[in-house]
Amino acid sequence: MILLLFPATLQAAPTPSDAEMGRLLTQARQARNQSHWDEAIKGYDALLAKDGWHETALFERAQTLGWAQRYPECVTAWRLFRERAPWRAREADQNLAMMASWGRKFEVALTTLEPYAQKGERWAILDSAKYLSWAGRYRESLARTSTWIAAHPKDRDALLMQARVLSWDGRLRAAHGAFQQLVAQHPDLGDARLGLAQVSLWSGRVEEARVEVDQLPKETRETPEGKLLEGQVRLAEGRRRAALAQLTPLARQGSPVQRDAEDLIRAAAEANGPSVEIGQTRTLTSEPLRMLDSSVRAKLPLGDGSIGLSHTLHRAELSGAESDAHETAATVAYPLGPLRLSADLGRLTGLGGDPAGFHRLGLLWRLGHGAEVNLTQGRSVIVFTPQAVAQRVGIQSTDLAFTLAGFADVLRLQAGTASVSAGNRRTTWSGAYEHRWRLSPITLSAGLTSRGMGYSETLPLGFWNPRHYLFHGATGTAAFENGRFALLVEGRWGRQVTDQQAWTTGKGYAANLSWGLGRSPVTLLLGWSDSTSGLNAVSVTDPNTYREQSFRWGLRVAGPWRW
């Protein structure tokens, strides 16, 4: 039997009206413009549920997923856009590679770009060089840009990429020269001046970075990268409040500088507060001396500076006898242009008799071109030997230090004088040279150091107290940093002599870890050190066997860094 369906009984799928589609698109765009990413994506999804081939909705949804930092979904969205709008495949692949690299899926990005790079397309060659450098493959990146520049020596974008990779590779002197040459040839190229300012800042030349930032073209200054660098320079200058005003909007928008802005704001909170930190340091020695320091510290912003309060319980055990000393201190630090003022005031109780006071005053002056002078004066109280406690020994000291930082080299010189309250005076001096290799995310350094001091006489204070002392040695460090995880390993080795006796060996190492727990305000701090000084710190005699090991743990909670 054949059934006939009359036209009146057929129901065609309703086609959404242009007005309805326009309304959904407008709602999604309004949410996106207000940085309401989830709401915007839901709006695009509603539109695509009615028309899955809507080109504009597919494109803007993929964009929005990237701004929301939902990178895996974003890559999938660009692939879908490429599939349904094949006439825009090049644009889709360029965006897909960029989003994959932001999500640290560098192989995906490079694989996507390789067909275009093999054809010699300029944009693909330069983008792939950039993503190679982001992956830490600096030599491959420089090889790719160098090959292109050899054939196109006047391509300023390629020259700019090469200078940037040199800076990311830690070759700051070469990068500085490359950026300078670009600025001289193209004064209107804001990105070159931006790179020159960044290299100056990484080299510790804050004043030079400020000059370059002030000369940025207006259009470069208004980019997210320009605003971020302005915030970095303000922080380096000590202008905390102005820096936060610059960085806070950047931390709220979906852009590649959002994470950098968040990191800088968090670092400012940890440096100036508000923050609270608790911790303990346990020290074991080769002598019958054990020490345990338990502390709690709080820090609050004070204008562009900070004020800190701390309380520490010093517990020492010597040959089975325990003694406690309580230390309460307040710290104030405040920047004034190129000057940084600091003051530490406190007192110790539990030493027997009246409380003993201590202080430290500091004045740091940035001279420019990587040079700075630091003058400190203070009084410290010795708490770790019975003889020193019995005599209420304190040390008054004045020190003058000079530091000159280059692109990869640092020279430090120091001279000072100190007076022991029992009537003993000494002079001190030191010099150190350090060379650094910045291999992001690892920074290596190696250096030489010398220091000496001498007392006018030797007193039975119960700790190492030579008439003359001289040390020559070598130092090395390795620092790794990735997001909120940082590890610093240090080592030293040297030869030393006291009072014209035989030369002995002093050596030691230390490891310190800082680990921010996810996106929480909590940071875990761990530290370990082991040193063999070859000198005794408890008995006046010198058995050349003194060894000290310390373990430190702490938790820091930084105040709300996102405003």
Side-chain angles (χ1 to χ4, degrees), residues 274-560:
S275 66
V276 176
E277 180 180 328
I278 60 172
Q280 279 190 335
T281 301
R282 182 180 298 273
T283 302
L284 306 177
T285 74
S286 55
E287 302 292 329
L289 173 66
R290 305 289 185 268
M291 292 175 284
L292 178 64
D293 297 335
S294 305
S295 63
V296 57
R297 298 179 176 87
K299 187 178 291 186
L300 292 172
L302 178 65
D304 284 332
S306 65
I307 181 170
L309 300 172
S310 66
H311 181 81
T312 303
L313 170 62
H314 300 282
R315 174 162 293 173
E317 178 185 340
L318 181 65
S319 301
E322 290 189 357
S323 63
D324 292 344
H326 295 266
E327 174 188 320
T328 303
T331 302
V332 177
Y334 206 90
L336 294 173
L339 302 177
R340 181 177 177 83
L341 310 176
S342 62
D344 298 348
L345 302 172
R347 72 173 190 168
L348 281 160
T349 59
L351 297 178
D354 296 331
F358 62 90
H359 71 273
R360 183 180 181 275
L361 306 176
L363 172 62
L364 186 145
W365 182 16
R366 293 197 316 268
L367 303 176
H369 301 288
E372 64 183 32
V373 173
N374 193 10
L375 176 65
T376 59
Q377 191 281 329
R379 179 180 188 272
S380 58
V381 182
I382 298 174
V383 299
F384 54 82
T385 69
Q387 296 97 319
V389 171
Q391 297 184 51
R392 304 185 63 76
V393 173
I395 297 180
Q396 298 268 6
S397 62
T398 302
D399 293 282
L400 181 65
F402 172 77
T403 302
L404 179 62
F407 294 107
D409 306 281
V410 181
L411 176 67
R412 298 183 179 92
L413 302 173
Q414 174 270 336
T417 181
S419 299
V420 179
S421 56
N424 187 314
R425 177 178 293 274
R426 74 178 181 184
T427 57
T428 65
W429 63 267
S430 68
Y433 167 78
E434 179 183 88
H435 183 80
R436 294 171 296 187
W437 295 268
R438 189 171 180 270
L439 309 171
S440 181
I442 298 174
T443 300
L444 304 176
S445 74
L448 299 173
T449 182
S450 292
R451 65 179 184 271
M453 68 179 182
Y455 281 106
S456 60
E457 58 182 297
T458 300
L459 299 175
L461 301 177
F463 60 93
W464 176 65
N465 185 24
R467 188 182 300 272
H468 300 290
Y469 171 72
L470 185 63
F471 174 90
H472 301 303
T475 61
T477 67
F480 173 82
E481 186 171 357
N482 184 14
R484 297 187 64 192
F485 181 88
L487 175 65
L488 174 65
V489 179
E490 304 172 282
R492 62 175 177 82
W493 183 93
R495 299 283 286 172
Q496 57 200 353
V497 64
T498 61
D499 296 338
Q500 325 242 311
Q501 299 176 3
W503 286 82
T504 61
T505 298
K507 59 185 178 180
Y509 67 88
N512 291 284
L513 180 146
S514 172
W515 188 5
L517 304 181
R519 296 180 61 82
S520 75
V522 179
T523 301
L524 173 65
L525 307 169
L526 296 174
W528 170 263
S529 65
D530 189 332
S531 66
T532 302
S533 67
L535 301 164
N536 188 24
V538 176
S539 172
V540 180
T541 60
D542 181 7
N544 290 336
T545 59
Y546 181 74
R547 183 179 181 184
E548 186 174 281
Q549 295 175 305
S550 294
F551 174 75
R552 170 179 175 258
W553 70 267
L555 283 176
R556 181 193 301 129
V557 180

Side-chain angles (χ1 to χ4, degrees), residues 93-321:
D93 285 341
Q94 187 172 12
N95 282 286
L96 189 156
M98 180 168 58
M99 292 298 104
S101 65
W102 284 6
R104 305 195 64 80
K105 301 295 183 182
F106 299 113
E107 287 304 322
V108 173
L110 295 171
T111 301
T112 302
L113 295 179
E114 191 58 27
Y116 300 99
Q118 289 294 331
K119 295 176 184 177
E121 295 196 25
R122 173 180 176 274
W123 67 270
I125 292 173
L126 296 186
D127 279 0
S128 61
K130 176 169 59 178
Y131 302 146
L132 281 167
S133 67
W134 288 5
R137 296 159 62 178
Y138 299 113
R139 291 186 180 181
E140 296 177 62
S141 176
L142 289 170
R144 184 158 291 199
T145 54
S146 296
T147 300
W148 178 263
I149 290 171
H152 308 83
K154 295 185 179 181
D155 188 331
R156 70 178 194 178
D157 290 336
L159 292 168
L160 180 63
M161 175 58 63
Q162 186 180 58
R164 284 172 170 167
V165 176
L166 285 170
S167 70
W168 297 334
D169 193 24
R171 297 158 64 176
L172 300 183
R173 189 183 301 277
H176 190 271
F179 280 125
Q180 273 191 326
Q181 187 173 3
L182 276 168
V183 168
Q185 295 175 352
H186 308 282
D188 60 332
L189 185 56
D191 286 342
R193 201 173 290 278
L194 197 69
L196 187 58
Q198 183 68 77
V199 169
S200 298
L201 194 61
W202 284 343
S203 304
R205 303 180 175 221
V206 180
E207 288 74 19
E208 293 182 23
R210 167 51 63 194
V211 170
E212 298 301 332
V213 167
D214 287 344
Q215 294 182 21
L216 285 174
K218 183 178 179 181
E219 58 272 17
T220 305
R221 185 190 296 271
E222 294 302 318
T223 63
E225 292 77 11
K227 293 178 179 179
L228 181 74
L229 186 59
E230 172 68 34
Q232 288 179 284
V233 173
R234 290 179 184 180
L235 279 178
E237 291 172 332
R239 299 164 57 197
R240 186 189 67 88
R241 290 172 293 180
L244 292 179
Q246 180 81 3
L247 295 170
T248 300
L250 297 176
R252 291 176 177 161
Q253 69 180 39
S255 76
V257 304
Q258 180 175 347
R259 290 183 180 178
D260 295 325
E262 290 175 349
D263 290 342
L264 289 170
I265 293 172
R266 184 187 296 110
E270 292 182 346
N272 295 287
S275 66
V276 176
E277 180 180 328
I278 60 172
Q280 279 190 335
T281 301
R282 182 180 298 273
T283 302
L284 306 177
T285 74
S286 55
E287 302 292 329
L289 173 66
R290 305 289 185 268
M291 292 175 284
L292 178 64
D293 297 335
S294 305
S295 63
V296 57
R297 298 179 176 87
K299 187 178 291 186
L300 292 172
L302 178 65
D304 284 332
S306 65
I307 181 170
L309 300 172
S310 66
H311 181 81
T312 303
L313 170 62
H314 300 282
R315 174 162 293 173
E317 178 185 340
L318 181 65
S319 301

